[in-house]
Amino acid sequence: MSIGRDTMFRAVLFDLDETLIDKTATVLTFLPLQYQRFRLGEHGVEEQRYIAEFLRLEKAGLVRKRDLYPRLAETLSLPGELAEALFHDFETVYPGMAVPMSGAKQTISALKQYGVLIGVVSNGEGNVQRPKIAAAGLTEGLDLVVISGDVGLRKPAREIFELAAGRLDLPVDSCLFVGDNPAADILGADNAGMHAVYFGPKDTWPASLPSPRHRIELLPHLISLVRDLNAHTQA
């Protein structure tokens, strides 16, 4: 089934980490191995504290790893020269460990068959995010990949959403954005004029923010949502 010209949503754009890629699972596999490779226990740092401080300083992916590792080294009283080595290790090892979120491939395949374009708009560095997409087996299903480090813009800036729509030669309001971060993904997309879908349990949405218009807890639920929204528009 192909989408007609009068259909509202002609593209679905996704956040990457914790949306298409199970970042939590990947990070929690990577960090203990990094801890062991660099023998951080010899510096008086416990493994669980290393993991906890990394996650705290990262702020759900909003802090660049190039900035995070120096802060992490300082917080844990590690030698300054370790920060660069740890960051380089992250860049080279972590991307190849990425695994797709449950249902990600199925959802992308179904939406492609339905006729919508599929893209990714992600904060991060291209030399980390693109290999993660490949390692997770998602590359072939994507029509567009926009990485903040490549374009000099970061979510929630409206310009990065506008850039993505422009590269697909579509108006922003014909794109649906799916992400797990209320501020960077949902408010950012809304401010750019895109419709947004919050991917996460209801109780994880901040009470201080207006409720999202659309929400899913499993990625495959997006398939019927897109069909229903487009059917409503055509009616």
Side-chain angles (χ1 to χ4, degrees), residues 74-149:
E74 181 180 1
T75 298
L76 299 175
S77 299
L78 295 171
E81 61 270 17
L82 261 182
E84 186 63 28
L86 289 166
F87 171 64
H88 178 71
D89 181 69
F90 176 88
E91 281 194 310
T92 55
V93 177
Y94 172 76
M97 300 176 67
V99 295
M101 187 69 74
S102 176
K105 293 181 180 180
Q106 169 194 349
T107 301
I108 289 174
S109 177
L111 291 172
K112 293 285 286 186
Q113 291 178 14
Y114 178 56
V116 297
L117 298 172
I118 304 294
V120 163
V121 180
S122 173
N123 286 345
E125 302 300 326
N127 63 341
V128 173
Q129 300 299 72
R130 291 179 187 276
K132 282 161 61 177
I133 292 170
L138 301 175
T139 304
E140 291 186 4
L142 302 178
D143 300 292
L144 172 77
V145 175
V146 174
I147 309 295
S148 68

Side-chain angles (χ1 to χ4, degrees), residues 147-162:
I147 309 295
S148 68
D150 294 340
V151 299
L153 298 165
R154 287 179 65 83
K155 297 180 294 182
R158 64 179 300 156
E159 290 83 1
I160 195 168
F161 297 98
E162 293 169 345

Side-chain angles (χ1 to χ4, degrees), residues 12-14 19-20 107-108 111 118 176-178 196-199 214-229:
V12 177
L13 306 178
F14 292 89
T19 301
L20 289 182
T107 301
I108 289 174
L111 291 172
I118 304 294
L176 193 69
F177 192 84
V178 184
V197 179
Y198 177 58
F199 174 48
H214 309 292
R215 183 181 63 86
I216 57 171
E217 293 194 20
L218 297 172
L219 282 178
H221 292 172
L222 184 66
I223 301 165
S224 58
L225 176 62
V226 171
R227 289 178 178 270
D228 290 346
L229 290 173

